[in-house]
Amino acid sequence: MMTADTKIACFIRYEIDPFKVEAFQHYAQVWGQAIPACGADLFGYFAPYEGSATTAYGVYTLPNLAAYEEYRARLRDSALGRENYQFAKREQFIRREDRIFLRLASAPHAGLIKP
């Protein structure tokens, strides 16, 4: 059931060059500053650790698709955003990028039980 506080999550799946993981990590750290500054709630960027050396993710939330379009415009206009796009273009560590929007279906969640 959708409620007034339901958000959408943008999941970005990246296929990256396995020899340029450090470049992706730099890219992710810059988004760690730029994305929240432009109005999205960043969950995080995730680089390869174990298993696939070419798959990475970015995840953030927004209230709706209209807010996403406003956020993207702010990101395009921000100096940090433009610099990061140019960095990715110059270094060519991203081979493919797929974006999907999902909504949380499992809430409300139970509290975490720690052993």
Side-chain angles (χ1 to χ4, degrees):
M1 177 170 107
M2 301 272 299
T3 64
D5 61 345
T6 300
K7 291 184 175 189
I8 59 168
C10 179
F11 285 78
I12 308 168
R13 181 189 175 278
Y14 296 94
E15 180 183 329
I16 63 172
D17 183 325
F19 300 104
K20 295 184 177 182
V21 173
E22 294 82 12
F24 179 81
Q25 288 176 306
H26 171 78
Y27 176 78
Q29 290 170 345
V30 172
W31 284 143
Q33 302 304 307
I35 289 173
C38 290
D41 187 9
L42 181 63
F43 184 74
Y45 268 70
F46 302 87
Y49 178 71
E50 183 71 28
S52 172
T54 61
T55 304
Y57 293 92
V59 182
Y60 57 87
T61 62
L62 290 149
N64 52 50
L65 288 175
Y68 169 75
E69 293 301 330
E70 294 167 1
Y71 150 77
R72 292 286 291 183
R74 287 189 299 273
L75 195 60
R76 272 190 306 273
D77 292 341
S78 79
L80 202 51
R82 284 192 308 274
E83 289 169 16
N84 215 26
Y85 285 127
Q86 288 303 313
F87 173 73
K89 185 176 180 180
R90 183 175 62 251
E91 298 299 320
Q92 297 186 351
F93 53 89
I94 299 173
R95 294 178 171 171
R96 181 181 172 141
E97 179 177 335
D98 296 311
R99 194 174 306 265
I100 187 170
F101 295 89
L102 303 171
R103 65 178 175 83
L104 181 62
S106 61
H109 296 157
L112 176 64
I113 298 174
K114 295 184 181 184

